[in-house]
Amino acid sequence: MPDFANLLIRWQQQHGRHDLPWQGTQNPYLIWVAEIMLQQTQVKTVIPFYQRFIETFPTVAALAKANLDDVLALWSGLGYYARGRNLHKTACVIMDHYQGKFPTCSSEIQKLPGIGRTTAAAIAAFSYGESCTILDGNVKRVLTRYFGIDGYPGLSATNQRLWEKAEAVVPRSNAQINMSVYTQALMDLGAMICTRSSPHCIVCPLQSHCTAFLGDRVSCLPTPKPSKVLPSKETVFLLLQHHDKLLLEKRVNQGIWKELWCLPEANKNHHYQSYCAQMLGIDAVCVDLLSPPIDHTFTHFKLRMYTQRLQVKSIFQQPQCNPICWVTADEAFRLAIPTAIKKILSKYRVASTPTSL
Ligand code: SF4
């Protein structure tokens, strides 16, 4: 496939993206933060988060020194919070074990927490011009169509074939090939031309060799994920109101919301007033169950969230388990809170008077 890389590079130089906030640098820290944020997240969503993050933590040293709470507060709304926790952890590893310097090859970068093969390859290609292979969702779609590969890409056999193809087309140490441009070209083609629906084959630089295009199979590839109904769960969040403040507790246990501030969570079988007394040391009376419930979809399940409002009468004991804080709704939005909890607080934002939620 001798022309694959050159066709892509020529196209990227003329039509690709050149002014994203993380482009025009070879600083591996700036590239790493962007690559982590871009996992599972669209460019236009990432840009404001990235700019705020880099303004606050301009170097790996600044990030390592930061409080995890402050890192997660900046991550709040971007989802997949393990990425933010790993970013902070990795910054500490780089300071403690790599003298504050990013490793300079993809195999070493890949040993860092939260950095997989594709992310390591992208950092190495953009920062050091290393000849290495990326295979993110966009690139999988391009290669699936270009080589006419059947089978859902999430299956390991299909994934394996795609890695082999990606390896086969990547340019090998060649002074003529700019790996940074090649890597960006693959990403850009997947994002801008070979899109999930209605790809723009007519202007695609790979069109004349593309198996799916030549075989009129573009709309069939990649093979869709076998349909599966997401399981549903229900839960109850307690909106404890004390004057103009709400109670938040920090999740210290494992789980997707680890280290984030949440409303206390109960289940429908609890007697909420007894629960508050026993678990939180708070004497409170139920006001109402706010309706309708709010739905939130995670990757692996759907969550129906009920919100029980309670008015606090007295606080007779500090809770034993999780750290807590009392904040106004406005203050809550400045903390690291999950998007699902933001949905509740947005809908039922506490007004200034104690009884008018
Ligand atoms: S010709 Fe169409 S299907 Fe093939 S790689 Fe280009 S955009 Fe994708």
Side-chain angles (χ1 to χ4, degrees):
M1 223 53 67
D3 274 326
F4 188 88
N6 283 322
L7 285 170
L8 278 178
I9 285 173
R10 274 204 295 277
W11 172 82
Q12 204 286 331
Q13 285 166 333
Q14 284 179 29
H15 304 290
R17 297 174 290 190
H18 299 276
D19 50 7
L20 298 172
W22 45 87
Q23 289 183 304
T25 179
Q26 291 183 301
N27 179 331
Y29 171 70
L30 302 180
I31 293 164
W32 166 52
V33 173
E35 289 302 321
I36 298 294
M37 286 189 170
L38 288 164
Q39 290 169 0
Q40 330 264 3
T41 314
Q42 292 192 339
V43 164
K44 68 173 188 299
T45 306
V46 165
I47 289 175
F49 283 91
Y50 178 80
Q51 286 169 326
R52 274 195 300 271
F53 197 92
I54 295 300
E55 267 169 39
T56 313
F57 309 120
T59 62
V60 69
L63 178 57
K65 241 190 272 165
N67 187 311
L68 179 59
D69 266 354
D70 296 334
V71 176
L72 293 178
L74 283 182
W75 206 272
S76 183
L78 203 52
Y80 301 99
Y81 294 92
R83 297 182 300 172
R85 289 191 290 269
N86 273 330
L87 211 58
H88 183 255
K89 185 173 165 188
T90 302
C92 296
V93 170
I94 291 171
M95 295 310 293
D96 294 344
H97 301 288
Y98 292 84
Q99 294 79 46
K101 302 222 172 345
F102 230 88
T104 53
C105 68
S106 58
S107 56
E108 201 58 33
I109 295 172
Q110 207 182 321
K111 293 178 187 165
L112 295 168
I115 300 187
R117 185 173 170 186
T118 284
T119 303
I123 296 168
F126 288 130
S127 305
Y128 311 119
E130 184 180 324
S131 168
C132 45
T133 311
I134 62 162
L135 191 64
D136 64 9
N138 281 342
V139 179
K140 282 182 186 177
R141 187 168 56 251
V142 173
L143 296 182
T144 299
R145 288 173 174 162
Y146 185 80
F147 289 106
I149 295 175
D150 288 301
Y152 171 56
L155 297 173
S156 63
T158 315
N159 197 44
Q160 179 59 33
R161 281 193 70 197
L162 285 167
W163 271 112
E164 287 163 12
K165 294 297 186 189
E167 292 279 1
V169 292
V170 75
R172 291 296 163 199
S173 305
N174 175 348
Q176 306 302 313
I177 295 284
N178 181 328
M179 275 309 296
S180 172
V181 180
Y182 171 77
T183 305
Q184 188 66 53
L186 267 179
M187 292 175 170
D188 288 356
L189 194 86
M192 299 165 63
I193 302 293
C194 195
T195 47
R196 199 178 306 272
S197 55
S198 314
H200 310 288
C201 300
I202 201 77
V203 292
C204 177
L206 303 179
Q207 185 204 81
S208 57
H209 299 297
C210 175
T211 307
F213 179 77
L214 297 174
D216 198 17
R217 299 185 59 223
V218 175
S219 60
C220 313
L221 293 171
T223 304
K225 185 177 185 176
S227 62
K228 183 177 149 200
V229 178
L230 284 181
S232 299
K233 298 182 186 178
E234 289 187 345
T235 195
V236 180
F237 286 104
L238 305 179
L239 197 64
L240 279 141
Q241 189 182 4
H242 191 39
H243 304 303
D244 64 339
K245 305 248 168 129
L246 293 170
L247 178 75
L248 294 181
E249 64 174 359
K250 188 191 256 188
R251 298 277 174 101
V252 291
N253 55 350
Q254 293 298 323
I256 51 172
W257 289 347
K258 186 184 171 195
E259 299 295 334
L260 301 183
W261 291 97
C262 296
L263 294 169
E265 188 174 357
N267 70 47
K268 281 181 123 176
N269 302 323
H270 281 134
H271 182 273
Y272 303 125
Q273 291 173 207
S274 308
Y275 181 87
C276 288
Q278 285 165 18
M279 302 302 290
L280 301 167
I282 290 172
D283 184 16
V285 288
C286 288
V287 178
D288 52 12
L289 188 67
L290 296 169
S291 65
I294 297 173
D295 294 329
H296 188 76
T297 304
F298 295 88
T299 319
H300 300 300
F301 66 96
K302 291 181 179 172
L303 184 64
R304 171 150 291 189
M305 303 180 292
Y306 293 89
T307 308
Q308 173 65 50
R309 188 169 67 127
L310 296 106
Q311 193 73 48
V312 173
K313 286 164 61 188
S314 67
I315 302 167
F316 58 85
Q317 186 182 304
Q318 283 303 308
Q320 301 300 313
C321 23
N322 291 336
I324 62 157
C325 65
W326 290 95
V327 291
T328 63
D330 286 345
E331 288 164 345
F333 278 91
R334 292 195 285 275
L335 295 174
I337 55 175
T339 302
I341 299 296
K342 277 187 182 168
K343 278 189 185 174
I344 296 177
L345 295 183
S346 300
K347 196 156 182 191
Y348 305 115
R349 187 175 280 248
V350 181
S352 52
T353 52
T355 50
S356 56
L357 274 175

